[in-house]
Amino acid sequence: PSRLLSFFGSARDVTPPWGGDSRLGDRIMGWVTSTLACRNGSLGSDKITHDVSIIDPLEVFGKDGALSGFSGGELRSPVFMMKPDDIPQATKELADTIKNADCYLIVSPEYNHSIPPALASIMGHFGGSNYKCKPSGIVTYSPGPFAGMRAAMAIQVLCHELGCLPVSKLCGIPAVADLFEADGTPKDASHRMLKQLPELLTQLEWMAVAMANQRKATGTF
């Protein structure tokens, strides 16, 4: 199976006074993970399945989290600038998870027309050598009609700089509460907006296999 690591872009943990979800992205992440679990992709005669891990900012920046205490969401201590003996064990394990992944799937909202600070901080804690020569895919969402596309443009630039090259297909989901139940179940499984994710995954899988084969054959640059 492909080792797919998903970065969750939202650290929101508050219900607004007018009601609604404390974190709308939980609906999207539920849909994404269920889609991956049922995925029956193939490349030639090879079946493609995914071993999925999720990096959630509420966990890594929370109490006893892998990036809490010594650093935090404000990125006081980039891991690649620290002496190895000073890096907490949980942080080393998180770095290994990132480095050992075959591909990345970023699931993110849009904050002020750009990248959410939690996402930029998590990914920026670790140097490009952890990400390079691997592909990434980008899923964005919004409560309104624009589907987080302005954030997607900025996330593409971030991924390019880190070396995990984004595939061309984007998945942007607007009006999340209208399309999904609280657990991420689509209200209408045939809705045209849901066709984006399988198309993105097809590209991501192709690139993940191709780049893994090349890393095995020649290593990285």
Side-chain angles (χ1 to χ4, degrees):
S2 169
R3 290 166 295 188
L4 185 149
L5 181 59
S6 182
F7 289 93
F8 202 165
S10 175
R12 202 179 81 175
D13 192 24
V14 60
T15 302
W18 53 86
D21 299 12
S22 60
R23 185 165 63 168
L24 189 62
D26 288 334
R27 300 187 188 219
I28 296 297
M29 187 59 84
W31 169 60
V32 168
T33 54
S34 65
T35 300
L36 288 168
C38 298
R39 181 76 175 161
N40 289 311
S42 62
L43 283 172
S45 60
D46 296 329
K47 292 290 185 181
I48 305 296
T49 59
H50 298 285
D51 180 4
V52 180
S53 299
I54 299 171
I55 296 180
D56 186 336
L58 289 180
E59 296 176 2
V60 298
F61 294 130
K63 181 177 173 57
D64 300 324
L67 297 176
S68 65
F70 76 95
S71 186
E74 64 274 34
L75 220 172
R76 294 191 303 274
S77 300
V79 175
F80 57 87
M81 291 185 175
M82 298 174 65
K83 296 177 181 178
D85 291 344
D86 294 336
I87 301 173
Q89 182 60 33
T91 310
K92 292 179 180 179
E93 292 172 1
L94 179 57
D96 287 342
T97 298
I98 294 172
K99 191 162 190 173
N100 292 332
D102 294 309
C103 58
Y104 307 99
L105 187 64
I106 292 101
V107 178
S108 180
E110 174 181 299
Y111 281 16
N112 298 320
H113 296 188
S114 192
I115 303 174
L119 176 62
S121 178
I122 290 177
M123 297 187 74
H125 266 89
F126 303 93
S129 61
N130 296 280
Y131 301 94
K132 69 179 182 180
C133 302
K134 289 176 274 190
S136 60
I138 300 168
V139 178
T140 55
Y141 61 89
S142 70
F146 298 111
M149 278 293 107
R150 289 164 293 203
M153 299 299 101
I155 294 168
Q156 282 185 324
V157 176
L158 173 66
C159 290
H160 273 292
E161 176 60 23
L162 290 173
C164 50
L165 304 182
V167 298
S168 62
K169 181 65 181 179
L170 296 169
C171 176
I173 303 296
V176 171
D178 294 338
L179 295 180
F180 298 94
E181 304 291 354
D183 65 354
T185 301
K187 295 182 178 181
D188 176 4
S190 65
H191 197 287
R192 63 183 180 86
M193 298 304 290
L194 306 188
K195 297 177 182 179
Q196 299 175 84
L197 182 57
E199 293 170 358
L200 182 157
L201 291 175
T202 295
Q203 291 189 8
L204 186 65
E205 290 160 355
W206 195 98
M207 292 298 293
V209 171
M211 296 174 90
N213 287 341
Q214 190 63 27
R215 291 196 307 275
K216 182 178 180 179
T218 66
T220 61
F221 44 76

